[in-house]
Amino acid sequence: MELRKRVKPKHGLSQDAPSEGRCNHNAMSGTQEGGKGGVSLLGRSGSRSHSGSGVSPRRPWQQCVSMAAGLLVAVLLALTQAWCVNGLHENLLWFSQLTEVEREISFRTECGLYYSYYKQMLHAPSIQEGLKELIHDNLTESKRTINLLQRMNIYQEVFLSVLYRLLPIQSYLEPVYFYIYTVFSLQAVYVIALYLTAWLLSGSWLAGALTGVWYILNRVDTTRVEFTISLRENWSLPFLALQVTAITCYLRPQLTTLQQKVMVWLMYVTTFCFCLTWQFNQFILLVQALVIYTLDCGDFLTTTQVTTLYLVQVSSLLSVWFLQFCNSMILGSLVLSFIVAALFIRHCQPGVKTGSLVVRLGKVLLHSALVLLLTVTINYLAKKALQLRSDEHIFKFTKSKFALGPTRDFDASLYLCEEAFGLLPLDTLERLASTLLLYPYVLTLLLLCGMLVAAALHNLSRPSRGSTEERKGAGEGQVAAFRPDVAYNLLHTLFYGLLAFSTMRMKYIWTGHMCAVAAYGVCGTELWTVLLSALRCNTKLLLRLVRYVVPVVMIGFLYYKFWPKLMEELSELREFYDPDTVELMTWISTKTPKQAVFAGSMQLLAGIKLCTGRVLTNHPHYEDKDLRERTRQVYQVYARRSPEEVYDILKAIGADYVVLENSICYERRHRRGCRLRDLLDLANGHIMDGPGENDPDLVPATHPRFCDAIKTDAAAYNALFTRTFQNKTFHVYRLKKKRKKNTKGSSEPSVTQ
């Protein structure tokens, strides 16, 4: 597929600059007025201050005006993000001018597979019939009937298709636009969630405005939604951001009982939506559970808060487990095993938070070792009992990535050789620094980490009077040494930052939250208090002034420097151009039986499923042990195997046609050792192509490479395969009925170079 430049009149674009306003410390910060002092990061209370800023209480009308201004800016920034990604998507493909098959081809790789189920539901005679087809699907994997609602996270496609059928919008809004507009609208939700998190942490909606601006300007590193619309992360990450906002609000001091209950329900709903829309939810929640556990060990959260947060995760996962027809992968997840272990060990060791500092540190270490041991034990037993092997490729990948196991495993190597699963490139940090995001983020991180460690040591060395946080600090005039909402967000950005550095694809979880943390550093009091104290000019007036002026100046600078670049990017017009794939899909739709079974690469077959509705042998959704093995077998068409071996493999899985791609057979995109043909050679024990070293145990193959040798039209291949279609990119072969006398004694041709 190519993206060609096109000539098109430039559109006038509105410029919604964030409006300026004054910091509001009461509306979003949760400061209680009327005799109760505000709670600062360090826990100091005062009669008229919040976060140590010395801001006088606002009158009700001032609070309302500030709240309204903050919410208006949030909505404007959210709409700006949705408008930007929609404009970029349109200009990148000229989507409005594409034919239906071209639009469907633009849903590349697994995106096409997910969108095909939305299309399938819309074309079903009724909603009930469509659901029945998904529950008893025999088109996605040949010779198998699978429950797609159990195997895949496609409830969002089901929900959207039902909504589209019920709403009176069919006459003026095409189904594809309803789909992509929904995903782009979730980007607006994402921005609002980050905005509110920064506002809650700092008490200033200017922090939210700065967060939104940073998120939009760092689009390359914060989202890839404009060209991978259907990816599960584009559906789930907005809900994760909303969940973080709800947790931030839940951990704030001085919430009423009703407010706490509302926050718990919001946490449950957002966690549930996040888990329902992404198959990797268990690994993300595991990191979050480790954050909660760390806060518990540092004595930053109450027993009630820790238990509630754990139970929200468990109840959300079990709800998804129920909706996914008792998907065993959820019950065998590490996060469930960890939470059960953490709660059980905590119940058995109630005296962990007693004794001197050294004693308590020793108890925490012992406690953590027991939790880890019990987690591994529970997980092992659960997987044995459930006979679960669906997620073993993730652990193989992790072991290989950190050199803890063999690297010849085909599934692990398939991930390791993709750039998205490598380490975070340094140019990412350069881009983040160019928008002034990295510098305040690092400074805020360093300052808060030092304060967190000091607060943790203080908590652990304090004489035990029950759990520290069980004392209602606000009601008794006592406060925690470090705000738990700030502590949670600090560890959240640290843990997910480490995840992003280890695996580049995970950076999208980190960079969005990074914007909120950096904005909190700029608009909060902590960083400025330290800086002004070092300069010996820490006055209340000056502190308040810099917290207003600096974010406004930064927003103005970012607007001046990057808004023209954004407009230039939005005005660059390209168009979709992939005639070879269009020709292939058209031929399949018109020249092959509707029940024909196609074999090929995972990425191409997803497009065939969407564009033609034909039956597949394999597909990109890799979370199934048998499917992974089948994919490896289908990929033998790119290995050095005899025509008889390849034929038998394809026939065994019911294939009628096999599609060979020149871009895979003669791949040059990856280095030697990471090309698909190299991975197959290594898995088969064969020496790789081209100059370079080979492991001593590898041997030369006895057959030429199938995808190349079949094009010679030698008798051994013509007896089993018939070429039915070809162009510059694709070659399609139909499998003949095998004749025994023709398949034995045939001489093998040599590979034509």
Side-chain angles (χ1 to χ4, degrees):
M1 185 185 77
E2 297 180 18
L3 296 175
R4 308 190 305 180
K5 287 193 176 181
R6 55 188 166 95
V7 179
K8 186 178 179 182
K10 295 184 178 180
H11 300 288
L13 300 171
S14 63
Q15 301 182 3
D16 296 327
S19 60
E20 300 176 3
R22 301 179 66 191
C23 296
N24 174 15
H25 291 272
N26 303 317
M28 289 294 291
S29 66
T31 303
Q32 302 294 321
E33 307 294 350
K36 293 183 180 179
V39 181
S40 73
L41 182 73
L42 294 175
R44 305 298 180 188
S45 59
S47 59
R48 298 182 60 187
S49 67
H50 172 71
S51 297
S53 61
V55 180
S56 301
R58 291 181 181 271
R59 297 175 182 176
W61 69 268
Q62 291 177 316
Q63 295 182 18
C64 291
V65 171
S66 182
M67 174 75 77
L71 295 178
L72 177 62
V73 173
V75 172
L76 289 176
L77 287 170
L79 293 177
T80 300
Q81 170 64 5
W83 165 70
C84 283
V85 294
N86 179 60
L88 289 167
H89 175 258
E90 168 63 24
N91 293 352
L92 187 67
L93 302 174
W94 207 355
F95 195 76
S96 60
Q97 302 301 314
L98 297 180
T99 62
E100 182 178 1
V101 65
E102 288 175 325
R103 287 179 177 177
E104 292 178 345
I105 292 172
S106 71
F107 288 91
R108 295 173 291 180
T109 64
E110 60 186 291
C111 297
L113 183 68
Y114 296 131
Y115 183 77
S116 71
Y117 300 123
Y118 172 73
K119 177 182 176 182
Q120 182 177 329
M121 280 290 295
L122 291 177
H123 289 174
S126 64
I127 295 175
Q128 294 79 3
E129 189 67 25
L131 289 172
K132 184 178 179 180
E133 291 175 359
L134 294 180
I135 294 173
H136 305 283
D137 177 87
N138 54 12
L139 300 178
T140 304
E141 296 178 18
S142 57
K143 290 193 171 183
R144 291 178 184 170
T145 298
I146 61 175
N147 185 342
L148 292 170
L149 295 181
Q150 180 188 53
R151 177 82 71 80
M152 303 183 190
N153 297 71
I154 58 169
Y155 268 101
Q156 50 266 52
E157 278 74 24
V158 173
F159 174 76
L160 275 193
S161 62
V162 172
L163 197 60
Y164 184 81
R165 295 178 71 136
L166 296 178
L167 294 176
I169 57 176
Q170 292 89 345
S171 58
Y172 58 87
L173 187 63
E174 297 177 62
V176 65
Y177 279 107
F178 182 67
Y179 187 90
I180 64 176
Y181 286 166
T182 301
V183 180
F184 294 156
S185 297
L186 283 176
Q187 281 292 296
V189 173
Y190 200 170
V191 170
I192 290 176
L194 296 174
Y195 186 106
L196 293 177
T197 299
W199 190 351
L200 286 166
L201 290 174
S202 66
S204 168
W205 60 258
L206 278 176
L210 190 55
T211 300
V213 171
W214 267 330
Y215 183 87
I216 295 170
L217 294 181
N218 290 282
R219 176 185 50 80
V220 174
D221 297 302
T222 55
T223 183
R224 50 180 176 164
V225 66
E226 70 270 17
F227 58 90
T228 58
I229 295 174
S230 302
L231 277 189
R232 305 297 84 179
E233 67 188 50
N234 295 329
W235 288 92
S236 62
L237 291 186
F239 293 111
L240 179 63
L242 285 173
Q243 184 227 34
V244 172
T245 304
I247 291 175
T248 302
C249 193
Y250 172 72
L251 295 180
R252 295 179 62 76
Q254 300 174 328
L255 289 184
T256 65
T257 302
L258 178 61
Q259 289 172 332
Q260 289 179 349
K261 290 181 179 179
V262 170
M263 288 302 110
V264 170
W265 276 106
L266 284 177
M267 288 189 294
Y268 167 75
V269 171
T270 52
T271 308
F272 168 76
C273 292
F274 166 71
C275 294
L276 190 65
T277 51
W278 198 10
Q279 68 268 28
F280 294 137
N281 59 74
Q282 55 170 298
F283 304 104
I284 306 304
L285 288 186
L286 176 62
V287 177
Q288 190 176 72
L290 291 174
V291 171
I292 297 169
Y293 179 80
T294 305
L295 291 174
D296 185 25
C297 290
D299 210 11
F300 292 103
L301 302 180
T302 69
T303 301
T304 301
Q305 288 173 332
V306 172
T307 305
T308 300
L309 291 172
Y310 280 152
L311 291 182
V312 164
Q313 289 188 328
V314 171
S315 58
S316 300
L317 285 169
L318 292 181
S319 299
V320 173
W321 170 78
F322 177 78
L323 277 181
Q324 288 193 313
F325 295 82
C326 305
N327 188 338
S328 59
M329 189 174 174
I330 295 176
L331 291 184
S333 62
L334 265 176
V335 62
L336 274 183
S337 302
F338 175 80
I339 292 174
V340 171
L343 291 176
F344 179 77
I345 296 297
R346 182 188 182 123
H347 176 74
C348 295
Q349 287 187 311
V352 173
K353 298 178 180 180
T354 58
S356 63
L357 175 61
V358 176
V359 172
R360 291 181 71 173
L361 285 175
K363 288 182 177 180
V364 167
L365 291 176
L366 176 62
H367 181 83
S368 300
L370 291 175
V371 169
L372 178 62
L373 179 62
L374 186 58
T375 298
V376 174
T377 303
I378 293 174
N379 193 252
Y380 175 80
L381 294 176
K383 288 186 175 180
K384 280 293 184 181
L386 298 170
Q387 296 183 341
L388 180 64
R389 303 182 68 184
S390 300
D391 58 353
E392 66 178 9
H393 64 300
I394 302 296
F395 297 101
K396 287 181 180 179
F397 161 72
T398 304
K399 288 172 61 179
S400 299
K401 185 177 182 67
F402 297 103
L404 300 176
T407 56
R408 281 190 190 174
D409 182 81
F410 178 78
D411 297 326
S413 299
L414 206 60
Y415 281 100
L416 287 171
C417 287
E418 288 297 326
E419 184 182 1
F421 293 93
L423 299 177
L424 186 72
L426 294 180
D427 61 351
T428 303
L429 301 180
E430 294 175 3
R431 288 191 299 270
L432 296 175
S434 68
T435 58
L436 306 182
L437 171 60
L438 187 63
Y439 304 116
Y441 174 78
V442 171
L443 288 174
T444 304
L445 211 59
L446 292 174
L447 174 65
L448 292 182
C449 283
M451 298 170 70
L452 182 74
V453 171
L457 293 175
H458 178 263
N459 289 346
L460 294 176
S461 61
R462 184 169 41 205
S464 176
R465 290 176 289 175
S467 180
T468 303
E469 302 79 4
E470 296 293 86
R471 301 186 300 271
K472 306 281 186 181
E476 300 175 7
Q478 300 169 341
V479 293
F482 197 93
R483 278 172 48 193
D485 56 337
V486 175
Y488 171 81
N489 280 274
L490 172 60
L491 291 184
H492 182 99
T493 193
L494 280 174
F495 278 57
Y496 286 103
L498 293 175
L499 186 63
F501 272 93
S502 66
T503 306
M504 188 187 73
R505 187 175 178 179
M506 296 294 108
K507 73 176 180 179
Y508 301 102
I509 305 175
W510 174 56
T511 48
H513 190 259
M514 179 183 183
C515 298
V517 172
Y520 161 63
V522 172
C523 299
T525 61
E526 292 72 36
L527 192 62
W528 293 116
T529 300
V530 172
L531 180 61
L532 294 177
S533 297
L535 298 175
R536 298 183 180 180
C537 56
N538 185 22
T539 64
K540 293 181 180 179
L541 179 61
L542 185 58
L543 178 62
R544 184 175 182 179
L545 183 64
V546 295
R547 292 180 63 235
Y548 290 177
V549 172
V550 172
V552 172
V553 170
M554 291 182 70
I555 292 173
F557 170 78
L558 294 172
Y559 175 84
Y560 174 78
K561 183 177 180 180
F562 292 100
W563 185 260
K565 294 181 180 180
L566 180 60
M567 293 300 101
E568 182 180 353
E569 188 176 3
L570 285 168
S571 64
E572 185 178 359
L573 306 179
R574 296 179 179 270
E575 65 177 316
F576 177 90
Y577 184 73
D578 192 0
D580 289 349
T581 306
V582 171
E583 185 183 11
L584 173 66
M585 299 302 174
T586 303
W587 177 83
I588 293 175
S589 298
T590 57
K591 302 297 184 182
T592 64
K594 290 186 177 180
Q595 294 302 316
V597 180
F598 279 79
S601 69
M602 296 183 290
Q603 295 79 4
L604 179 64
L605 290 184
I608 290 176
K609 172 72 168 63
L610 171 58
C611 298
T612 71
R614 299 305 189 260
V615 185
L616 311 181
T617 57
N618 52 301
H619 53 80
H621 195 272
Y622 222 48
E623 277 63 57
D624 180 76
K625 176 67 168 61
D626 294 332
L627 178 65
R628 292 195 294 272
E629 177 59 29
R630 176 183 280 202
T631 298
R632 190 177 69 84
Q633 291 298 319
V634 170
Y635 278 0
Q636 296 302 312
V637 298
Y638 298 108
R640 291 187 177 103
R641 302 293 290 268
S642 70
E644 290 85 2
E645 289 175 315
V646 173
Y647 181 90
D648 291 340
I649 289 172
L650 296 178
K651 268 300 181 182
I653 57 179
D656 299 314
Y657 295 85
V658 58
V659 185
L660 302 178
E661 301 172 62
N662 289 338
S663 60
I664 298 178
C665 190
Y666 310 111
E667 180 185 0
R668 296 180 180 178
R669 182 171 66 95
H670 290 102
R671 69 182 189 278
R672 183 177 185 269
C674 268
R675 300 169 298 190
L676 179 60
R677 62 180 185 268
D678 296 336
L679 301 183
L680 292 165
D681 288 342
L682 290 172
N684 295 337
H686 295 156
I687 292 175
M688 295 183 291
D689 284 342
E693 296 182 358
N694 289 282
D695 293 338
D697 60 325
L698 298 177
V699 298
T702 56
H703 301 283
R705 196 165 302 282
F706 178 86
C707 62
D708 186 46
I710 194 175
K711 298 172 186 175
T712 63
D713 294 327
Y717 296 91
N718 287 340
L720 302 174
F721 302 91
T722 300
R723 183 188 289 115
T724 56
F725 173 87
Q726 70 173 0
N727 58 25
K728 293 183 296 183
T729 305
F730 304 104
H731 296 259
V732 183
Y733 293 86
R734 180 174 57 83
L735 278 68
K736 295 181 177 180
K737 291 185 178 180
K738 191 173 183 180
R739 298 178 182 179
K740 294 183 180 180
K741 63 179 180 180
N742 291 337
T743 58
K744 294 183 179 181
S746 299
S747 58
E748 294 296 342
S750 59
V751 178
T752 302
Q753 299 294 338

